[in-house]
């Protein structure tokens, strides 16, 4: 029997958002029997699969504990469950900053706590979240609204991140650099998300404007440092990360700085990057199955 590879999605988007449409044929070309499952469907075949890859499990943020229990129950999950646990709480940003990486200045505010409110525009967002949901931008004058948003997230049980708004996002967007099997594969840019873009019909993510990009030497080398820092904090070789996405903006001084390091269920921009990127991911699956 051909080895079985399952891509995990969620009930609202049981075959993802279309980005993996070229991955399934790439896996088939390498002789895999590849298909989708819904992660919380009790009848799914995750336990028997030769590899389960998280792809579009974007409904976990309100029930992360349940999601992590499921991840831990899957014998051959990639990325590994401990990586998913670490990465699904943006508190990891503070660890990467502690490891010497330049990270967007981040305050982590547990329920009951209050931040030191930034002087200029800032962002308030849940520490567990995806698809830009719950992320809001405030101007320094809109403190009452910001306090209200903080309280609403706290009431929902979330810890909260408060960050200065990175205005480079408005001009250049963020640059997402994708690594497959620990090696750089491709990059794309994503336009600013907090300007009132519409939420997708699934309700799970704010619609995005993506474009293929050449990140240039400075951002590329920063992404390598970010990969090394994450591997070192996780205590594993970076080649153990089947996929990773490093989201970078340029800070006020123009230097690359980390906005997000995605190891759980990032969109990999495969469709934008094309068949060769899908082939690289399929080959990386082949290297571990
Ligand atoms: N500090 C920030 N400055 C500018 N834009 C931000 C900031 N934090 C978040 N955003 C915007 O909100 C979006 C979602 O935030 P992000 O931290 O990437 O969380 P997630 O993608 O997991 O929902 C980003 O893509 C970016 O456009
Ligand atoms: Mg993001």
């Amino acid at each position: 029997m051909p080895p079985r590879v399952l891509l995990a999605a969620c009930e609202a988007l049981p075959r993802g958002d279309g980005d993996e449409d070229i991955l399934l044929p790439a896996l088939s070309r390498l002789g895999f029997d590849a298909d989708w499952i819904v992660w919380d469907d009790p009848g799914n075949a995750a336990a028997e699969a030769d590899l389960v890859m998280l792809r579009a499990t974007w409904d976990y943020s309100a029930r992360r504990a349940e999601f992590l229990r499921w991840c831990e129950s899957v014998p051959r999950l990639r990325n590994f469950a401990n990586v998913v646990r670490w990465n699904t709480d943006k508190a990891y940003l503070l660890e990467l900053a502690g490891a010497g990486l330049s990270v967007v200045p981040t305050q982590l505010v547990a329920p009951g706590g209050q931040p030191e409110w930034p002087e200029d525009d800032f962002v308030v967002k849940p520490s567990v979240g995806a698809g830009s949901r719950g992320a809001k931008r405030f101007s320094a004058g809109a403190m009452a609204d910001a306090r209200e948003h903080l309280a609403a997230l706290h009431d929902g049980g979330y810890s909260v991140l408060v960050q200065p708004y990175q205005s480079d996002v408005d001009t250049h967007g963020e640059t997402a650099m994708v690594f497959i099997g620990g090696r750089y594969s491709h990059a794309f840019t994503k336009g600013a998300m907090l300007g009132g873009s519409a939420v997708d019909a699934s309700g799970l993510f704010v619609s995005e404007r993506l474009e293929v990009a050449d990140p240039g030497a400075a951002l590329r080398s920063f992404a390598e440092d970010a990969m090394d820092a994450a591997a070192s904090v996780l205590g594993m070789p970076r080649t153990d990360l089947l996929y990773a996405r490093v989201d970078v903006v340029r800070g006020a001084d123009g230097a690359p700085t980390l906005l997000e390091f995605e190891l759980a269920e990032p969109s990999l921009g495969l469709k934008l990057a094309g068949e060769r990127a899908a082939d690289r991911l399929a080959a990386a699956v082949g290297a571990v199955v």
Side-chain angles (χ1 to χ4, degrees), residues 9-10 12-21 24 35-38 56:
C10 57
L13 290 165
R15 301 182 71 79
D17 64 358
D19 199 44
E20 277 74 25
D21 288 357
L24 289 175
D35 203 358
W36 287 95
I37 54 167
V38 169

Side-chain angles (χ1 to χ4, degrees), residues 102-143:
S102 169
V103 172
V104 170
T106 300
Q107 296 181 67
L108 179 65
V109 191
Q114 284 291 323
E116 278 179 38
W117 295 105
E119 310 254 306
D120 289 317
D121 283 18
F122 58 90
V123 172
V124 176
K125 59 188 174 186
S127 75
V128 175
S132 302
R133 282 175 304 142
K136 283 194 176 172
R137 173 184 185 171
F138 297 96
S139 60
M143 214 52 88

Side-chain angles (χ1 to χ4, degrees), residues 195-271:
S197 318
V199 175
D200 175 78
S202 68
L204 294 179
F205 58 91
V206 176
S207 298
E208 299 172 340
R209 294 179 311 282
L210 308 180
E211 277 176 52
V212 181
D214 173 359
L219 263 57
R220 274 281 288 109
S221 121
F222 179 82
E224 296 292 338
D225 291 347
M227 285 293 287
D228 289 337
S232 140
V233 167
L234 285 163
M236 57 175 56
R238 58 149 90 178
T239 43
D240 274 2
L241 303 173
L242 180 60
Y243 52 83
R245 199 184 85 196
V246 187
D247 292 350
V248 178
V249 295
R250 286 188 185 267
D253 57 358
T257 184
L258 187 75
L259 181 61
E260 219 185 344
F261 191 103
E262 293 241 30
L263 292 169
E265 30 55 60
S267 283
L268 296 175
L270 294 177
K271 235 183 190 165

Side-chain angles (χ1 to χ4, degrees), residues 9 28 44 55 68 84 108 126 129 139-140 156 161 169 196 226-227 241 255-256 270 276 281 285 288:
S28 300
N44 74 39
R55 290 289 67 234
L68 292 176
V84 177
L108 179 65
S139 60
L161 304 192
V169 166
M227 285 293 287
L241 303 173
L270 294 177
R276 286 174 61 191
L281 183 51
V285 167
V288 295

Side-chain angles (χ1 to χ4, degrees), residues 69-173:
R69 270 198 305 280
W70 176 77
C71 289
E72 274 150 14
S73 78
V74 177
R76 285 166 291 275
L77 186 78
R78 295 291 179 129
N79 285 326
F80 295 126
N82 66 320
V83 172
V84 177
R85 176 178 293 281
W86 179 75
N87 192 242
T88 45
D89 184 336
K90 290 187 174 74
Y92 72 75
L93 286 172
L94 301 177
E95 280 184 70
L96 293 177
L101 198 69
S102 169
V103 172
V104 170
T106 300
Q107 296 181 67
L108 179 65
V109 191
Q114 284 291 323
E116 278 179 38
W117 295 105
E119 310 254 306
D120 289 317
D121 283 18
F122 58 90
V123 172
V124 176
K125 59 188 174 186
S127 75
V128 175
S132 302
R133 282 175 304 142
K136 283 194 176 172
R137 173 184 185 171
F138 297 96
S139 60
M143 214 52 88
D145 294 344
R147 284 209 176 85
E148 196 177 313
H149 189 51
L150 178 80
L153 290 171
H154 280 167
D155 287 348
Y158 292 100
S159 284
V160 171
L161 304 192
V162 177
Q163 298 176 327
Y165 187 79
Q166 304 296 301
S167 51
D168 187 54
V169 166
D170 294 330
T171 41
H172 299 107

